Amino acid sequence: MVAIITFTRQVFLAVAFALLAQGAIIPEEVAKRDGSPGFVSLGFDVTRKPLNLTAVAHNHKRDSISESLINEGPSYAAKVSVGSNNQELTLIIDTGSSDLWVVDKHAVCAPGDYCKVYGTFDPGASSSYQSLHEPFAIQYADGTASQGTWAKDTVTINGVSITEQQLADVSLTAVNQGILGIGFPTTESVGGLLGSSTYDNVPITLKKQGKIKTNAYSLYLNSPTAESGTFIFGGVDNAKYSGELVEEKVTSSALTISLSSIYLKGATYSVAKDALLDSGTTLTYLPPAVVRELAQQAGAQLRPAGLGGLLYFIDCNANTSGSTTFNFANGANITVPNSEYIFPNNDGTCLWGIQESNDIILGDNFLRHAYLLYNLDAKTISIAQVKYTSESNISTV
Ligand SMILES: *[C@@H]1O[C@H](CO)[C@@H](O)[C@H](O)[C@H]1NC(C)=O
Ligand SMILES: *[C@@H]1O[C@H](CO)[C@@H](O)[C@H](O)[C@H]1NC(C)=O
Ligand SMILES: *[C@@H]1O[C@H](CO)[C@@H](O)[C@H](O)[C@H]1NC(C)=O
Ligand SMILES: *[C@@H]1O[C@H](CO)[C@@H](O)[C@H](O)[C@H]1NC(C)=O
């Protein structure tokens, strides 16, 4: 998810209620504890649901900015506990935003109760909870939003606890479940509410409280059909990629690296722009000119979607042999099978896995094919072609 603006209550009320999420499946617990010092690993639960084109179209029409991000389909979440009494919540681990927020026990989902399926938080039951009595509000680029109150409490990740972590207790949301944003503090949603200064978000606190050595983490979403993946704070799993990790420079205040070009079916398409590597986004978003050319090669077509807006569709039975290769500025190359670009909708059509946006976002259908080490201290992201394996060889970063 990409947080686009911090805003007032009034603005929130105008936009928050349009996205109706669907019923969700309660994921199985996969978090495993490892006793090794210096890193904290966390199992992802993968949930899948078909894209809901009506919701997408609503979203697209409503959106005032140029892009409409479709965050349905597979999503990657993990178990995190909050409070003195370890209240367990399943949160989306999001490299595209920087704030941790949880769904309050009495929260209003917009509308329905779907936001409570993944666990709710009861501040009254935690003796370490301290309200900061300041309003929190965030809006993501897919049009969803949340609001609540800033607070501090203990956060426990796979048995490792950090204390007095700033987080938001959310009372109203149009997002499916709570989010653990792990990007740079510069993209936090403090927006003047707590003064203009940023705060120590979860990865920074893990480092300051001595749980990890570096504000770094690695991402292994696992194969498109896997039920779980792994996220490691402060470590890297050398068994899970082939070749060498190639270090790319972070190119903005978000977790972007420079995408040089894309190779598909014998042709190279030049891009040379910053690309956000965002675990909270489902699809791939590229500039309109590049998308037009790739669509022609792939046989995808721009068509009206539901109630408004245009999206790229592809024949659900299209030949998906072959792959698309993404070349980055420092020489990293990631190859994605073309089968990653067919997303069934719930109306029998298929959305193409690449859509238009002026800001490039490489979401989960790209990230499943890379192993990534985000180093926020060094401002680098090292990437290599993923190797799907249950073997593990973790070293501390
Ligand atoms: C799809 O989204 C629309 C609009 O948000 C909603 O009314 C509808 O119930 C959803 N369909 C399913 C099958 O969830
Ligand atoms: C799909 O395309 C590939 C390469 O163009 C070709 O070799 C293969 O026969 C095609 N498969 C089908 C089922 O048409
Ligand atoms: C990535 O691909 C480019 C262009 O084909 C090539 O020059 C470069 O050596 C490749 N990088 C690696 C690490 O293989
Ligand atoms: C584990 O990874 C390290 C660092 O890449 C490497 O030196 C070592 O040989 C690996 N160990 C095994 C058992 O593969």
Side-chain angles (χ1 to χ4, degrees), residues 219-221 240 334 366-372 383-386 388:
L219 187 68
Y220 171 70
L221 295 186
K240 291 197 166 56
I334 303 296
F366 169 85
L367 296 173
R368 279 190 282 275
H369 301 279
Y371 189 84
L372 301 100
I383 55 180
Q385 192 74 35
V386 74
Y388 301 129

Side-chain angles (χ1 to χ4, degrees), residues 18 20 22 52 54-55 58 346:
L20 311 177
Q22 292 97 67
N52 180 342
T54 317
H58 269 305
N346 59 5

Side-chain angles (χ1 to χ4, degrees), residues 13 74 163 173 229 292 355:
L13 291 174
T163 54
T173 183
R292 271 196 294 276
Q355 299 289 335

Side-chain angles (χ1 to χ4, degrees), residues 23-194:
I25 303 149
I26 300 172
E28 274 174 49
E29 175 148 15
V30 294
K32 278 190 240 102
R33 194 179 179 133
D34 55 67
S36 329
F39 62 84
V40 182
S41 79
L42 190 60
F44 277 123
D45 295 340
V46 185
T47 54
R48 293 186 176 77
K49 54 194 172 184
L51 297 173
N52 180 342
L53 213 51
T54 317
V56 168
H58 269 305
N59 220 11
H60 200 250
K61 194 179 176 194
R62 189 183 72 252
D63 227 336
S64 55
I65 56 168
S66 63
E67 65 205 55
S68 166
L69 304 179
I70 301 149
N71 290 309
E72 301 286 315
S75 65
Y76 296 87
K79 300 264 193 311
V80 172
S81 299
V82 180
S84 58
N85 59 339
N86 287 323
Q87 300 178 43
E88 192 177 81
L89 308 164
T90 302
L91 305 174
I92 298 284
I93 309 298
D94 187 17
T95 57
S97 67
S98 302
D99 302 291
L100 163 59
W101 62 264
V102 297
V103 177
D104 186 86
K105 186 184 170 195
H106 299 294
V108 174
C109 314
D113 259 348
Y114 61 83
C115 73
K116 299 185 178 172
V117 171
Y118 297 97
T120 59
F121 178 62
D122 179 2
S126 169
S127 60
S128 47
Y129 182 82
Q130 309 161 50
S131 176
L132 297 179
H133 303 289
E134 291 278 353
F136 162 79
I138 190 165
Q139 186 183 17
Y140 298 99
D142 67 354
T144 59
S146 293
Q147 74 173 47
T149 306
W150 283 114
K152 286 191 175 181
D153 208 341
T154 300
V155 173
T156 303
I157 300 169
N158 198 10
V160 173
S161 294
I162 48 176
T163 54
E164 298 196 25
Q165 175 57 50
Q166 184 164 329
L167 54 89
D169 180 35
V170 157
S171 50
L172 180 58
T173 183
V175 182
N176 274 0
Q177 68 196 105
I179 292 180
L180 171 52
I182 52 173
F184 287 116
T186 41
T187 55
E188 288 166 354
S189 295
V190 281
L193 295 173
L194 290 168

Side-chain angles (χ1 to χ4, degrees), residues 244 246 261 263 268 325-328 330-334:
E244 296 288 310
V246 177
S261 61
Y263 179 85
T268 299
T325 299
F326 293 74
N327 309 114
F328 295 90
N330 222 16
N333 301 316
I334 303 296

